[in-house]
Amino acid sequence: MSNAPAEIVRLVDQFAEHADAYRRGDYNETELRRDFLDPFFIALGWDVHNRQGYAEAYRDVIHEDAIRVERTIKAPDYGFRIGGSRKFFVEAKRPSVDVGQDATAAFQLRRYAWTAKLPLSILTDFEQLAVYDCRVKPDKNDKASTARILLIHYREYVDRWEEIAGIFSREAILHGAFDRFAESTKKKRGTAEVDAAFLEEIESWRDALAKNLSLRNERLSDRELNFAVQRIIDRIIFLRMCEGRGIEPFGQIQSLLNGAKTYRRLVELFHRADEKYNSGLFHFQPEKGREPPDELTTELAVDDKVLKDIIVRLYYPESPYEFAALPADILGQVYEQFLGKVIRLTAGHRAKVEEKPEVRKAGGVYYTPTYIVDYIVASTVGKLLEGKTPQEAGGMTAAWRSSKTLRPLAVLDPACGSGSFLIVAYQFLLDWYLKQYTEADAPEKHARGANPRVYQFRNGDWRLTSSERKRILLTHIYGVDIDYQAVEVTKLSLLLKVLEGETEETLQSQHRLFHKERALPDLTGSIKCGNSLIGTDFYNGQQLSLLDEDERLRVNVFDWDGKDGFHAIMHAGGFDAVVGNPPYVLLQDEFRNDAQLDYFRTHYECASYKLDTYHLFMERAVRLVKCDGMAAMITPANFLANNHLGLLRRFLLNETDVDHIVVIDGGVFRGISVDNAIWVIRRGGTPDSVIHLIHAFHNGAELKETRRQVLAKATILKDPHVLFTGSQTAISQSLWKRCTEGSLPLSDLAHVNFGKQLRNRQLYERDVMAVKAANRIPRNYRPCYTGRDVHRYALRWGNLACLNDRVAQCGGCWDNDKQDAKNKLVTRQIGRFPAFGIDRLGYQCLNTVFMVNVRQEVMHPLYLLGILNSRLIAALWNDRFYDRRRTFPKIKGTYLKHLPIRTGEGSPETHDRMVTLVQQILDLNERLPNVKTAHDQTAIQRQIDATDAQIDRLVYELYDLSEDEIRLVEETNAT
């Protein structure tokens, strides 16, 4: 019996009845969308026609059929979104097109979705519905079947409706089924996500341009060469993205492929852009009140071949990129990595690209995930805008204009990098202003006068005028970075954001309206290059003549209150909001001379024994915020309880009210084993305020709160170490007492050992890929589990083998009887609480894993496994053993040995029931990775959850818990 809605049955019957007529060429896409696709997706729960009346930024579905891009390619017909975030595209084709065989249509959709970094998208003429894995890099020679994971005929819609709805319905996306399905179908072979591919692309441009410019322009210095290469690349990307969006004539750069003197003609395009955009990116003539123009890059010599090799990769069919769809945040991620390298001139004036020393020391560049940036901006800018009108926020009231201290809301990132926080803050403000103009007031009111704020687009939507978008940017957004290349990238990203949604037509009409006003602002006064931590007083008492130019440029002092800083804002009390992700650099390791360290220790109240740049940025952020303003940053979490950082904690408590702190367990940045914290403060302290200490985890897309403590500021300040930690409640203490009475410590029932530590892990490990390819374990090696193989109720060996030899021994447990034992329990070392699997195969364990060898004459291993994985044990661990003072959470063997275990000796039925339930959950977890459909995955997961709940209830009975104690376990549990 099908669960398909009646509307889907009707659509299928209607199409079947008139299929021949629909397949004729005169039945077009517009009719198809109206007659079939709109009702199809309405049946999936999408507000296709925006019946809820949301502003454009928050609509479920964006109809992009009217947006022409490039020469012949148009944007997808539908963009489906949740909370303004794109999830998938749908491209419609008339039924006369064979969706199953049309490679051009498939490539068109995949190219757009791949550039937008969407995992899945749909191509359909209703007769067939094709789902594509859009993480596979598109190629002009691909067949229609390449990267296609589903092809469903319309006659199957009714029978397969649960499958379709289980992936693409609005409810399925909200519950994570879409993401789970996308992950389950991910093909490693051929995948190359757009940010990695585009990074590789522009790095090749940098390499080629650097070598050619150094060869043809022998007078260039290192600094000039880096400047010239980045400016040329930035300008090309900007103009090409404007072409893709219809702002610049399509193909103008491509036309340079014909003929010689390519760079001369490219410079002519740059000059025309200067006339049109007024941006520092294109600034070649002296203008009053602006920084000196670029007189270097226009006179350079560049070989034709180098430029033409770049240009040909900008256009179809050589380019896989759809530049109209390349989001500003993706471009920022690419540039964040790009800026990790620098060009250096070697002997013979040859250019060499190499990693910057600070990046090499940090182990790479780490981009702040968008969901973190969104959270920080909403927690500061969003809070400050509550209850304000556009006139108040923008400083457009008479009272504000006449005041010497009141200014428009100013948002700062003092270490802006590629501009990710400023881009999100700017977008937040754009959305807020548009909502205020169109919802709080009649939009027509703001569309009149000499300086209209909004205009009505041809599809009826209200949009901010380009003049208003520029005003918002120049009024509210500010940034500083020590790296001038990062400053230029931030400007580029913001300028592209200003033009987002514009076309040549809309810009021209607005230029006429605003008396030839150029399309972009000059951001020189808003985004500045300098050292946020060091002021001009650094040179007090020092002889400048003793410091060479490189040293002065490296220090790059910045005067916040000076003419080159932000005098007006600082004079008015400071910034309203300070946000960001400051660099984390241990300074003792960074500086060879102590001049900067001495400066920090004498100018920063929080300077401590081991000084990190993020400590200094925390203090600087607070001092830059005006009274009642807000600051929020993501930093390592160890400032909360590290004994050496008491001064920093006391400074925060004395100078601010800490609104809340989110500790993100397990960290945020891939490859870095550190807990991060988002701290949110309001400047100005009240002694009786409270702090919400929130623990959360992330699923790669959002933060999920697991537990919350409310701490009193006064109580923390009374602590001599000023630790941000809570205290156990009376009920939690009684819970521990109840559980330990009548129980035995785990160490009495099992051997608890750390895994083996190799003397030289790289030398004594056999590469995973080599083991997998050979399909065998080399002689003298043993298969080994490491922490990443261990999951709750599941062990999945990752093909790692390690030398089992005395030469390799360094520490940990090397007892082969314990290591090779089957049915031992295993938990990873890193985690907020232990989560166990069972080793059926008798593989060995490395020192990222703890082994629990159960004395089987005492109890069945599965009985113990059920207890150890229960919510009760997790709650006890988090309440008693989880040390929140660590940089990141670790399981300790000493604590494992103390866990209280009820043996169940007096209740063999309970023992046997536990073994049966644990066996069931093991079997279900083993089946889960092999299930392909979202429906089956959901069904199995529900069985797992139900069995888990039964085990928890059995444990509560075993430990004889009261209702209050059970409620405490449920409230404090972190799973």
Side-chain angles (χ1 to χ4, degrees):
M1 189 74 177
S2 169
N3 290 321
E7 178 68 355
I8 296 301
V9 177
R10 184 192 69 78
L11 290 173
V12 169
D13 290 343
Q14 179 181 327
F15 194 91
E17 185 177 353
H18 305 287
D20 291 340
Y22 294 138
R23 294 190 188 105
R24 289 199 295 267
D26 55 352
Y27 185 75
N28 60 38
E29 290 174 18
T30 301
E31 293 171 305
L32 175 78
R33 291 196 299 272
R34 182 189 62 225
D35 296 342
F36 290 97
L37 298 187
D38 286 359
F40 183 88
F41 286 103
I42 289 172
L44 286 168
W46 295 99
D47 185 6
V48 171
H49 301 302
N50 194 31
R51 305 292 188 201
Q52 298 181 76
Y54 289 150
E56 184 182 15
Y58 300 103
R59 291 182 177 184
D60 274 8
V61 183
I62 295 295
H63 300 265
E64 300 180 279
D65 56 303
I67 302 174
R68 301 294 298 184
V69 296
E70 308 256 311
R71 181 173 285 155
T72 57
I73 303 174
K74 65 182 180 66
D77 298 283
Y78 303 87
F80 288 82
R81 309 187 306 178
I82 296 288
S85 175
R86 274 176 175 158
K87 300 303 291 186
F88 64 93
F89 287 137
V90 171
E91 173 68 5
K93 291 296 174 187
R94 65 183 70 189
S96 59
V97 174
D98 187 348
V99 163
Q101 298 298 322
D102 193 321
T104 302
F107 178 73
Q108 176 179 317
L109 170 73
R110 290 175 54 213
R111 188 169 178 242
Y112 208 98
W114 180 73
T115 306
K117 206 172 181 181
L118 302 180
L120 306 174
S121 282
I122 294 172
L123 177 67
T124 184
D125 60 355
F126 190 78
E127 185 171 11
Q128 296 181 92
L129 184 146
V131 179
Y132 284 91
D133 183 346
C134 297
R135 293 159 297 197
V136 178
K137 186 176 179 180
D139 184 90
K140 60 185 178 181
N141 298 315
D142 285 343
K143 297 177 182 178
S145 59
T146 302
R148 189 171 65 204
I149 54 180
L150 287 175
L151 182 62
I152 305 175
H153 192 268
Y154 81 96
R155 293 187 182 278
E156 300 177 275
Y157 290 165
V158 172
D159 291 336
R160 297 179 67 177
W161 183 252
E162 282 193 12
E163 179 185 354
I164 296 168
I167 304 169
F168 291 103
S169 70
R170 191 175 191 277
E171 183 182 3
I173 289 180
L174 286 171
H175 287 89
F178 175 90
D179 294 326
R180 289 194 294 273
F181 176 79
E183 190 61 30
S184 71
T185 58
K186 190 172 185 179
K187 298 178 180 178
K188 294 182 180 179
R189 186 176 180 182
T191 56
E193 294 199 7
V194 64
D195 46 3
F198 195 58
L199 173 63
E200 185 178 349
E201 189 83 54
I202 63 173
E203 283 187 330
S204 71
W205 300 353
R206 173 171 58 190
D207 189 61
L209 281 169
K211 289 176 179 176
N212 191 250
L213 283 170
S214 64
L215 180 66
R216 300 295 181 215
N217 305 270
E218 295 184 353
R219 294 185 178 181
L220 284 177
S221 67
D222 288 63
R223 197 170 300 277
E224 290 170 336
L225 179 59
N226 278 278
F227 171 82
V229 168
Q230 182 165 338
R231 273 301 166 92
I232 292 170
I233 291 174
D234 290 351
R235 289 165 181 164
I236 289 173
I237 289 174
F238 178 86
L239 290 176
R240 181 63 185 89
M241 290 184 74
C242 287
E243 284 188 27
R245 295 175 179 182
I247 298 170
E248 287 287 322
F250 177 76
Q252 63 175 355
I253 302 176
Q254 189 179 33
S255 67
L256 302 178
L257 293 171
N258 301 317
K261 298 182 179 179
T262 307
Y263 187 64
R264 293 294 98 210
R265 291 182 290 141
L266 181 62
V267 168
E268 290 175 12
L269 294 182
F270 294 163
H271 277 285
R272 290 207 294 270
D274 187 14
E275 297 171 8
K276 183 174 182 178
Y277 296 109
N278 187 39
S279 158
L281 183 61
F282 305 99
H283 178 38
F284 306 109
Q285 301 298 326
E287 293 183 40
K288 187 177 180 180
R290 298 186 65 187
E291 64 180 354
D294 172 16
E295 297 178 348
L296 171 68
T297 62
T298 56
E299 302 302 320
L300 296 171
V302 186
D303 287 343
D304 285 354
K305 184 179 185 308
V306 173
L307 280 175
K308 288 182 177 181
D309 286 347
I310 292 173
I311 292 169
V312 77
R313 291 286 299 160
L314 295 172
Y315 295 90
Y316 175 84
E318 298 302 325
S319 171
Y321 310 102
E322 175 51 77
F323 284 92
L326 190 63
D329 62 331
I330 299 298
L331 187 66
Q333 292 177 34
V334 170
Y335 262 114
E336 196 88 3
Q337 299 289 329
F338 184 77
L339 295 176
K341 294 181 180 178
V342 68
I343 306 165
R344 184 172 60 84
L345 288 169
T346 63
H349 208 260
R350 295 182 180 276
K352 180 181 180 182
V353 179
E354 59 187 20
E355 203 168 43
K356 291 178 179 177
E358 61 270 27
V359 173
R360 186 164 55 249
K361 179 179 181 295
V365 176
Y366 302 95
Y367 189 83
T368 312
T370 302
Y371 67 92
I372 296 291
V373 183
D374 289 342
Y375 183 91
I376 288 174
V377 169
S379 298
T380 50
V381 180
K383 289 287 185 185
L384 292 169
L385 287 172
E386 288 178 359
K388 282 189 169 58
T389 66
Q391 289 72 28
E392 292 169 333
M396 295 180 280
T397 64
W400 281 45
R401 285 195 297 271
S402 63
S403 172
K404 292 183 179 180
T405 57
L406 295 175
R407 288 288 184 273
L409 186 141
V411 183
L412 168 76
D413 184 346
C416 61
S418 64
S420 58
F421 281 86
L422 297 182
I423 291 167
V424 171
Y426 180 44
Q427 184 64 59
F428 191 99
L429 285 158
L430 292 174
D431 294 341
W432 183 83
Y433 271 105
L434 181 60
K435 185 175 182 180
Q436 294 294 312
Y437 291 145
T438 58
E439 293 186 11
D441 297 316
E444 293 81 2
K445 168 186 170 183
H446 300 285
R448 297 191 294 265
N451 188 26
R453 306 297 184 188
V454 296
Y455 71 98
Q456 198 161 19
F457 195 55
R458 56 174 170 249
N459 64 359
D461 288 333
W462 288 97
R463 295 186 176 184
L464 296 172
T465 61
S466 60
S467 177
E468 177 67 357
R469 292 174 73 93
K470 286 187 287 183
R471 184 197 69 79
I472 293 169
L473 177 58
L474 288 174
T475 300
H476 297 295
I477 301 299
Y478 300 89
V480 178
D481 201 277
I482 195 170
D483 186 340
Y484 79 91
Q485 289 179 297
V487 167
E488 294 308 316
V489 170
T490 295
K491 291 179 182 178
L492 171 64
S493 298
L494 288 169
L495 294 174
L496 286 167
K497 178 61 78 171
V498 173
L499 293 175
E500 211 167 71
E502 300 286 2
T503 66
E504 191 170 22
E505 174 190 346
T506 61
L507 287 178
Q508 285 178 353
S509 65
Q510 292 180 68
H511 295 341
R512 288 193 296 270
L513 184 65
F514 304 134
H515 311 293
K516 298 293 184 182
E517 178 184 322
R518 286 189 280 186
L520 290 176
D522 180 6
L523 297 179
T524 304
S526 303
I527 313 299
K528 296 179 179 288
C529 184
N531 190 331
S532 291
L533 300 177
I534 298 180
T536 52
D537 57 350
F538 175 76
Y539 295 122
N540 292 350
Q542 296 194 55
Q543 296 184 35
L544 288 180
S545 58
L546 298 179
L547 297 173
D548 61 26
E549 182 183 10
D550 285 343
E551 177 66 15
R552 289 197 298 272
L553 290 171
R554 189 171 75 87
V555 176
N556 200 8
V557 300
F558 184 71
D559 186 358
W560 287 94
D561 199 24
K563 65 176 183 177
D564 293 328
F566 299 106
H567 175 75
I569 292 174
M570 298 306 295
H571 185 66
F575 292 87
D576 294 86
V578 178
V579 296
N581 175 19
Y584 318 153
V585 181
L586 194 61
L587 293 175
Q588 282 88 338
D589 297 337
E590 182 68 13
F591 299 113
R592 291 183 180 177
N593 76 59
D594 293 330
Q596 290 188 51
L597 272 176
D598 289 344
Y599 179 88
F600 295 142
R601 295 196 185 285
T602 55
H603 286 73
Y604 285 83
E605 188 175 321
C606 70
S608 62
Y609 166 63
K610 285 190 175 181
L611 195 55
D612 196 296
T613 49
Y614 91 81
H615 308 156
L616 305 177
F617 270 103
M618 289 178 72
E619 181 173 336
R620 173 62 76 191
V622 171
R623 296 196 184 282
L624 289 170
V625 174
K626 67 189 297 185
C627 184
D628 212 34
M630 299 190 73
M633 288 181 166
I634 180 169
T635 65
N638 67 342
F639 79 89
L640 292 170
N642 186 298
N643 284 336
H644 298 297
L645 298 180
L647 289 174
L648 175 58
R649 292 189 292 275
R650 193 173 294 280
F651 168 80
L652 283 176
L653 293 169
N654 287 335
E655 295 289 332
T656 77
D657 283 333
V658 180
D659 184 86
H660 68 277
I661 299 170
V662 182
V663 179
I664 309 167
D665 297 313
V668 170
F669 303 101
R670 187 179 301 173
I672 300 183
S673 297
V674 58
D675 271 359
N676 291 98
I678 298 171
W679 50 271
V680 182
I681 62 96
R682 190 180 287 271
R683 186 75 191 269
T686 52
D688 58 348
S689 66
V690 296
I691 301 162
H692 289 261
L693 184 62
I694 302 166
H695 280 263
F697 70 94
H698 71 90
N699 59 11
E702 60 182 335
L703 293 172
K704 298 280 191 180
E705 182 177 336
T706 57
R707 59 195 171 93
R708 176 184 297 237
Q709 293 172 281
V710 180
L711 310 176
K713 177 197 279 191
T715 302
I716 298 173
L717 282 170
K718 289 177 183 176
D719 182 343
H721 298 292
V722 203
L723 298 175
F724 281 71
T725 54
S727 59
Q728 293 179 342
T729 64
I731 191 169
S732 71
Q733 292 172 355
S734 75
L735 176 63
W736 176 257
K737 183 178 180 182
R738 170 69 64 88
C739 292
T740 53
E741 288 176 350
S743 298
L744 292 174
L746 178 61
S747 58
D748 284 3
L749 306 168
H751 299 285
V752 180
N753 293 100
F754 208 20
K756 63 183 183 181
Q757 183 172 346
L758 299 172
R759 187 176 305 279
N760 183 328
R761 183 159 175 172
Q762 288 185 334
L763 182 63
Y764 298 125
E765 270 186 10
R766 196 44 82 91
D767 183 74
V768 168
M769 296 307 294
V771 172
K772 193 171 183 179
N775 198 26
R776 67 180 184 85
I777 306 299
R779 186 170 166 270
N780 292 335
Y781 280 74
R782 293 282 290 120
C784 281
Y785 295 118
T786 188
R788 62 176 173 268
D789 301 331
V790 182
H791 310 273
R792 189 167 176 269
Y793 287 120
L795 276 180
R796 300 188 182 102
W797 178 53
N799 297 303
L800 178 69
C802 297
L803 186 65
N804 192 41
D805 191 286
R806 188 172 297 175
V807 176
Q809 291 184 24
C810 183
C813 176
W814 284 77
D815 183 331
N816 282 333
D817 289 339
K818 293 184 175 65
Q819 284 279 2
D820 296 338
K822 294 181 179 179
N823 296 319
K824 60 180 175 287
L825 308 186
V826 178
T827 187
R828 61 186 300 175
Q829 182 197 22
I830 305 302
R832 279 189 39 225
F833 57 89
F836 287 85
I838 186 167
D839 172 26
R840 303 287 203 185
L841 302 173
Y843 287 178
Q844 299 199 348
C845 298
L846 292 184
N847 66 322
T848 52
V849 167
F850 281 100
M851 305 179 296
V852 176
N853 295 82
V854 187
R855 293 170 182 164
Q856 296 192 29
E857 71 277 8
V858 177
M859 64 177 58
H860 198 289
L862 296 189
Y863 172 85
L864 180 58
L865 180 60
I867 292 177
L868 291 176
N869 275 341
S870 69
R871 294 172 71 84
L872 172 61
I873 294 299
L876 290 175
W877 186 277
N878 280 317
D879 189 67
R880 195 141 190 114
F881 294 140
Y882 178 44
D883 186 355
R884 297 167 184 85
R885 295 174 57 176
R886 285 192 300 276
T887 305
F888 61 96
K890 284 186 178 180
I891 307 301
K892 289 188 175 182
T894 302
Y895 297 161
L896 284 176
K897 293 176 181 179
H898 288 158
L899 286 174
I901 307 298
R902 290 279 171 94
T903 62
E905 285 181 336
S907 179
E909 291 182 1
T910 300
H911 182 283
D912 294 345
R913 175 67 175 150
M914 178 75 77
V915 171
T916 300
L917 288 171
V918 172
Q919 185 61 61
Q920 287 177 11
I921 207 168
L922 289 170
D923 293 342
L924 289 166
N925 273 288
E926 192 172 335
R927 286 173 54 197
L928 187 61
N930 301 315
V931 173
K932 301 303 180 186
T933 69
H935 172 72
D936 288 345
Q937 288 175 347
T938 301
I940 291 178
Q941 187 60 54
R942 286 173 180 167
Q943 293 179 60
I944 290 172
D945 294 342
T947 309
D948 226 346
Q950 290 182 65
I951 292 172
D952 285 327
R953 286 195 296 272
L954 197 60
V955 172
Y956 297 154
E957 293 174 13
L958 189 64
Y959 284 79
D960 195 24
L961 299 191
S962 68
E963 288 301 317
D964 283 341
E965 290 166 337
I966 292 173
R967 186 164 49 253
L968 177 67
V969 169
E970 297 295 332
E971 289 174 355
T972 61
N973 202 285
T975 56

